[in-house]
Amino acid sequence: MRIHRLEISAFGPFAGTERIDFDRLSAHGLFLLNGATGAGKTSVLDAICFALYGSVPGARQDGKRLRSDHAEAAAEPRVTCEFSAKGRHFEVSRSPAWDKPSTRGKNGFTVQQANTLLRERVDGVWVEKSGRNDEAGAEIADVLGMNREQFTRVVLLPQGDFAAFLRSKASDRLELLQSLFGTQRFEAVEQELSRQAQDAKAEVASLTARLDLLLAQAESETAALDLDPADAPGRDAPDALLAWLDDAAAAAATGRRTAAAAAGQQAADQASLLEAATARASRHAKLAAAEQRRNDADAAAPALAEQAITLGLHRKAEVLGGQLRAVESAGAAEDLAGTALLEAARQLRSAAVADPELAGLDLVDAGADTGREPEAFDSAALRNGLGQLRSLRAVLTERLPDESRLTGLTDRGSRLRLQLTALETQQRTGAAALDALRTESEALVTGIVPLEELAAEAQLRAKEATAADELVAIVGRYLTTEAASSAIAERHAAARNDHQDLRQHWLDLREQRLTNAAAELAAQLRAGVPCPVCGSQEHPEPAPAAASALAVAEAEKAAQQASDDAEAALAALGRELAEARQDVAVLAAQGGSTPSEEARADAALARARADDAARAASDLAAGRARLAELETAIASAERAQAEAASGIAQTQSTIAEVDEQAEVLEHALDKLRAGHASLEGRIAALTGTTAVLERADAAQSVLEQAGARTAEARRQLDQALPATGFSTEAAARAALVPAPEARGLEAAIRAGQDEAARIQELFAGEELALAAAERAAGELVSEAALEELQAASAAAERQSRDAELAAGLAENSVRTLGRIAGEYAELAAAGREPRERAALLGAVAEAARGGGDNTYRMSLNSYVLAARLEQVAVAASERLIGMSDGRYTLQHTDAKAARGAKSGLGLEVVDEWTGQRRDTATLSGGESFMASLALALGLADVVQHESGGVDIETLFVDEGFGSLDDQALEQVMDALEGLRDGGRVVGLVSHVAEMKQRIGTQLQVVKGRNGSTLHISDDARA
């Protein structure tokens, strides 16, 4: 990145607005930030860091107010930085939280919250990117590729901070290097290896459990075989145990199969005896049943003969059944036709009296209602009347559409009159609605003006409300943090008192022990061992030891340990107190010290103002939308009024035309109705009259046809009687029996004949003949003997089934044991690879986390960081060689740490003059500065390379150059000037006189009673 411009207002020691043109300073590559002590040289770097990240580096953030105490009370503190990175150009402006004079606050001030504005220059125009602190910070960190910690280690090298890395412990270096190089992925690899090792271990445990389950299944399978376990191998030899179980089960299965065969043979013998006895008893029972059936058939023979005679006469009469049924059917049809003719004549007479259409037709005689047989109608007169009536009905039917048309005209006239009424009503209502719409539109136009003024402030008021709500939250966190800080301060004070008491006690004991030092040394003398004071091996007169000398030494050592422990606890509480006070200071800088009631009141007022503006914006949008709707509605209402007037005139003209057509059509149809209500009514009457004539004509024709069929049927019956042996129709009818009775007679005769045949066949069979012979010989089977044989056979069958089941179970056990042995062998073979894999993964995971065979106890993450540190040491040594006149280089060491601590992140300084390595803590002040500067520059180079090509064009060094002699200063300056070779700009913060002479381009900080100011000088000597 490259910084182009910095503007500082009411920030740090700068009371007014100071502008720094870094493009002008960068033109020379190397410039000096010069000024008196306390003038504000470091504050310039603080302003850069604050603009980019919203906070200042390191400990300077603690307890330091960013706003200048020299500035006017109402002056807003603000830092604006213009910079470029990755081909993009940005400007960020930040203001910290500060107390603004207020007339409403109890203490006279109102806390203004921190705010940020980030802009980017696109095509020559500044475009706003974000107005939120967090969003702007995230955008800048993404563009720069560094967070604040990395920025202060790589771009800003502040006082006292970068030298700490040289003196850090391995654990501190681990945390810093991990944050700079982002090696969290290697920690993820360690965790993944551990997870895979656990999974592999669980898989092996699952395989072992399945093998144990198979052994348990094999033992359970043979439990029912009653095997003798005396010679059985143990579970520690699973293959031998499975083989023994298989052999023992096979032997048991063979024995049970032999016993099952013997039981089966015995059951077969008993079944044969039972079958023979059962067959003899069955034959005797069949013989008794056959004799009973023969006696029953002999008793039923006379009745069957009579039934056969009756059935024979029925069969002869049945031959005439068709003629008899034809005579009956024809007679019945003739009777029905006569009845129908009488009914038709009655209806015709009734219709002639009531129907004027039949008044002129003479179709029936006057005496037809006396009850005698009806006379035939005059067919010609009947058909003539039917023709006349049908012709008249056709004429009326053709005119039916005219009547429908008349109805339609009448209905249309009614609808048109209703439509006319509606149009007139609509015209009156529309006029009133149009007036109301115009009135409402005028009122809306008047009310929109004040809403527009209030809605314009909606966004500003919303931001003020959000800031006020954030302040309420910050006040709450400030109160909580302040209370926690007070509690820690009390604990720190108590710990300080305890430490002072314990230290004083230790010093008292040490003084007492030193007083008795001679006696203590005398107690340690041994004959023949040189004295640690004089070197003599003889000790003629050792000082007498007091009885309590050794006890005092031990007590002094215990007191020293207690004092050290108390000092460590005090230091830990001091760090905790510093962190708590830093949190309190940060929250106070953000406005946390504002009274909570005032913050809540301000937040409520700001929220109410924002709500008013939001409601005004909503009402304004609704009003404008309603105004547009009203304009559309007014135009529509005006069109509707014009359309209503036109419709009224057209409807009135149509009504007159329809009334004229209806009057002409009504006069023509009135003659055709002939007194009926409508043409359809007269047509319906003619249809009924025509139907009466048609029924009379049809009834007369049916009666004539029925009489002819009856005469023909009697003639055919008389011709068929002699051939059947019957003299009369009555005799034939008497011989007939109902069909169900005839079928019953036939079935009974057939059943008797079949029974006689079956009985004869039974007695002719060998089985009944054998039974008769056995009965004659007295060879009978009693019920008791049969039951005894049945019980014996059932018992033998049960024994056979039990023996077969036992043999089957044993054989099934043998097959199951074979399957289990196969599965066991297959599973055992399949488990070798998972066990080897589990062992390998366990060893790799253990080594990756720094255990196992990892003698240096370096985790994978530490190993990677050690490689990065080695690169940093190489890069730093290139510069340290030049600064130290070739004497010193830095070297990474992975020497094993003491007392089991993790190794791999050590640093040593190599003295090329002596060839010795030594700890970095042994360097002098000036040497330590050169080594720290070289290490910081090397770290910047490696981070730039490892961060994906972060372009660091501007670098600031704020450190005590005064600790260097003239030669060392010359060498350091040569190294710093070499940084310009790649186009890098280096800014040095110092007030060393030699540097003022060497560096012509300077940013001078001038200190005054009213605050500091900044000036750029291109030639210091001028």
Side-chain angles (χ1 to χ4, degrees), residues 247-420:
D247 295 340
T254 302
R256 292 190 178 189
R257 175 53 61 190
T258 302
Q265 183 61 43
Q266 183 179 0
D269 294 342
Q270 290 293 332
S272 298
L273 293 176
L274 177 61
E275 183 180 1
T278 302
R280 179 176 298 177
S282 177
R283 287 196 298 272
H284 292 173
K286 289 180 181 179
L287 177 59
E291 290 175 345
Q292 181 63 39
R293 288 174 62 184
R294 184 172 58 186
N295 293 335
D296 293 340
D298 292 342
L304 287 176
E306 292 180 1
Q307 291 176 349
I309 294 172
T310 302
L311 183 60
L313 292 174
H314 170 73
R315 295 302 183 196
K316 291 180 181 181
E318 196 175 19
V319 175
L320 299 173
Q323 288 83 357
L324 292 173
R325 287 192 295 274
V327 170
E328 290 179 357
S329 176
E334 187 177 7
D335 293 341
L336 288 175
T339 303
L341 182 58
L342 288 174
E343 179 63 22
R346 186 187 62 78
Q347 292 178 359
L348 184 57
R349 285 194 299 271
S350 298
V353 173
D355 193 347
E357 303 290 349
L358 294 176
L361 299 178
D362 188 10
L363 300 177
V364 294
D365 60 341
D369 57 349
T370 59
R372 56 182 174 84
E373 290 294 327
E375 298 179 355
F377 292 108
D378 186 352
S379 299
L382 188 60
R383 291 190 178 90
N384 184 38
L386 280 173
Q388 294 175 6
L389 293 178
R390 287 170 178 167
S391 298
L392 179 58
R393 186 174 62 182
V395 171
L396 294 176
T397 302
E398 289 179 357
R399 297 301 299 272
L400 277 176
D402 290 341
E403 192 167 44
S404 299
R405 182 183 170 204
L406 176 61
T407 302
L409 289 172
T410 304
D411 293 342
R412 186 183 178 191
S414 300
R415 289 195 302 273
L416 287 171
R417 288 179 174 81
L418 292 175
Q419 182 178 349
L420 178 61

Side-chain angles (χ1 to χ4, degrees), residues 293 751 753-763:
R293 288 174 62 184
Q753 294 172 351
D754 292 343
E755 178 67 10
R758 285 194 292 270
I759 291 172
Q760 185 178 2
E761 184 179 355
L762 281 174
F763 280 98

Side-chain angles (χ1 to χ4, degrees), residues 511-526 531-533 539 541-553:
E511 183 68 24
Q512 184 179 355
R513 183 179 66 80
L514 292 176
T515 303
N516 297 327
E520 184 177 348
L521 288 174
Q524 297 176 356
L525 295 177
R526 297 290 182 270
C531 174
V533 179
H539 318 294
E541 297 181 359
S548 61
L550 297 178
V552 169

